[in-house]
C-alpha cells in the first residue's frame, strides 16, 4: 500500500498511513506527496535532482480526496524551481504548498579539497521504537520503521509515498521528508505538556541519500513565554551527513480535561 493512491492526474486519495496523531493528515506525509509529484516529473522535464524542499502547512489537511497543482517558477539552465499546492478536492482554500529546488549536478574539481571519510552506521543494532497515535488507528509512523541510538533517530520507509516502480529510490527527497518532519519531536525539551505542531518544514541536501535508512541528529529550542520554538537537525544516511532540516514550532497547550498521550520521543504532535 502506498501512502497516497492516485485517482487521476493531480488527484489523490490518502490511505490510513497518511494520518497524523490527532485529526487530519501528518504534515510530513503532505510535504512528501507534493514533493514526490515534482520529483516524478524531474527526469521527463530535465529539471535535474531535487536538492531542497520547503513546505508550508496552511491549515490541517483532511482525510479526503485531494487535488494538486504544479507551477513552474523557473526551469532550464542549472537550477529549476517548482511550486506545488494542495487542496481538498471540493474546496478552494489550500491546505499546504511546497517549493522544490532542483539542480543538474556538475562535477567540480577544487584543488586541495578532499571529502571527509564517513563512518558507516548500522541502525539495526538499535532497538525498534514504536509509537501509537492518540486516535489508536493506523497513521504515518506505521509507514516506516524507527530506531534510535547514539543521539540519532533512524527511519526507514516501508511504504512508498506514491505508487511507481522503484519510487522509494527514484524519489529520494520526498522519501525522507516524512522522517525529517519528526525532528522537533525527537529533541523536544519537555514531554506531556504541550502539542508542538510545525507550520513549516525545510530540508536541504548536498548529497543524495544512499539506501533507505535516514538518520536525524536533532535539537529543539522552545520559548514557552512566547509560545514558539524551532527544530533543526543534521540529516544523514548510513554513510554520513547528507543535509540539514529545520522548522518553526508553535506551542499549543493540551485541553485541561484531556491530555492525549503524545506520539513523542521519535514523533510529535505535528500537522
Amino acid at each position: 500500500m502506498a501512502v497516497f493512491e492516485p485517482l487521476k492526474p493531480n488527484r489523490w486519495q490518502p490511505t490510513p498511513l497518511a494520518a497524523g496523531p490527532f485529526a487530519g493528515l501528518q504534515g510530513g506525509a503532505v510535504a512528501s506527496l507534493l514533493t514526490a509529484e515534482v520529483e516524478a516529473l524531474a527526469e521527463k522535464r530535465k529539471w535535474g535532482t531535487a536538492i531542497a524542499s520547503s513546505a508550508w502547512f496552511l491549515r490541517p489537511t483532511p482525510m479526503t480526496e485531494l487535488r494538486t497543482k504544479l507551477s513552474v517558477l523557473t526551469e532550464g539552465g542549472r537550477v529549476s524551481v517548482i511550486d506545488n499546492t494542495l487542496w481538498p478536492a471540493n474546496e478552494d482554500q489550500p491546505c499546504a504548498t511546497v517549493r522544490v529546488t532542483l539542480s543538474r549536478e556538475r562535477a567540480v574539481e577544487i584543488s586541495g579539497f578532499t571529502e571527509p571519510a564517513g563512518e558507516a552506521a548500522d541502525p539495526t543494532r538499535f532497538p525498534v521504537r514504536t509509537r501509537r497515535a492518540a486516535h489508536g488507528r493506523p497513521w504515518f509512523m506505521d509507514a516506516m520503521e524507527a530506531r534510535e541510538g547514539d543521539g540519532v533517530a533512524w527511519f526507514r520507509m516501508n511504504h512508498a509515498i506514491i505508487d511507481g516502480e522503484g519510487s522509494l529510490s527514484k524519489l529520494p527527497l520526498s522519501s525522507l521528508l516524512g522522517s525529517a518532519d519528526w525532528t522537533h519531536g525527537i529533541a523536544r525539551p519537555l514531554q506531556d505538556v504541550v502539542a508542538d505542531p510545525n507550520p513549516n518544514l525545510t530540508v536541504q541536501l548536498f548529497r543524495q541519500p544512499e539506501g533507505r535508512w535516514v538518520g536525524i541528529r536533532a535539537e529543539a529550542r522552545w520559548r514557552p513565554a512566547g509560545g514558539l520554538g524551532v527544530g533543526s537537525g543534521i540529516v544523514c544516511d548510513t554513510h554520513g551527513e547528507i543535509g540539514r532540516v529545520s522548522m518553526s514550532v508553535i506551542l499549543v497547550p493540551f485541553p485541561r480535561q484531556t491530555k492525549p498521550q503524545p506520539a513523542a520521543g521519535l514523533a510529535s504532535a505535528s500537522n
Side-chain angles (χ1 to χ4, degrees):
M1 176 192 293
V3 178
F4 293 90
E5 299 290 350
L7 300 175
K8 54 185 178 180
N10 304 115
R11 292 285 181 124
W12 301 91
Q13 179 63 50
T15 68
L17 291 176
F22 299 111
L25 305 190
Q26 178 71 25
V30 171
S32 297
L33 168 64
L34 292 172
T35 303
E37 278 197 295
V38 176
E39 284 192 287
L41 286 173
E43 184 174 357
K44 179 180 179 180
R45 300 290 291 270
K46 302 187 185 303
W47 289 334
T49 301
I51 59 172
S53 177
S54 292
W56 292 267
F57 307 119
L58 308 177
R59 63 186 180 106
T61 300
M63 181 69 73
T64 188
E65 181 180 338
L66 305 169
R67 62 185 173 92
T68 60
K69 182 179 181 181
L70 279 74
S71 175
V72 177
L73 299 186
T74 183
E75 64 180 339
R78 186 169 183 181
V79 174
S80 296
V81 180
I82 316 298
D83 282 356
N84 197 10
T85 303
L86 175 144
W87 297 260
N90 297 317
E91 297 184 25
D92 295 327
Q93 183 181 358
C95 292
T97 187
V98 302
R99 176 162 293 179
V100 181
T101 303
L102 306 100
S103 176
R104 299 176 185 172
E105 292 192 23
R106 296 176 184 172
V108 178
E109 293 187 8
I110 302 176
S111 177
F113 176 80
T114 303
E115 290 193 48
E119 185 173 334
D122 179 15
T124 61
R125 68 188 180 93
F126 303 119
V128 175
R129 298 289 298 271
T130 58
R131 290 291 182 270
R132 292 185 62 81
H135 49 64
R137 299 184 298 275
W139 68 308
F140 192 44
M141 181 61 79
D142 295 329
M144 62 187 72
E145 178 181 342
R147 297 173 182 260
E148 189 172 16
D150 291 345
V152 179
W154 291 96
F155 304 87
R156 179 171 63 181
M157 290 293 297
N158 293 324
H159 295 263
I161 299 299
I162 59 176
D163 277 326
E165 184 178 354
S167 60
L168 281 169
S169 58
K170 291 184 177 180
L171 309 177
L173 179 54
S174 56
S175 293
L176 65 79
L177 289 178
S179 304
D181 189 48
W182 305 125
T183 296
H184 60 306
I186 298 167
R188 66 202 317 254
L190 296 170
Q191 306 289 351
D192 300 342
V193 290
V194 294
D196 57 339
N198 54 304
N200 52 41
L201 171 68
T202 294
V203 173
Q204 298 167 314
L205 302 180
F206 63 85
R207 175 171 67 79
Q208 294 299 296
E210 297 180 29
R212 288 167 52 192
W213 281 106
V214 175
I216 308 292
R217 189 180 297 275
E219 65 177 27
R221 297 289 183 269
W222 286 2
R223 181 174 176 267
L228 300 174
V230 294
S232 62
I234 295 170
V235 184
C236 54
D237 61 13
T238 56
H239 302 285
E241 295 181 21
I242 62 175
R244 296 292 188 274
V245 54
S246 63
M247 69 265 284
S248 300
V249 176
I250 306 297
L251 304 181
V252 181
F254 289 133
R256 288 189 178 184
Q257 298 301 318
T258 58
K259 186 197 294 183
Q261 178 65 38
L266 285 178
S268 65
S270 184
N271 290 320

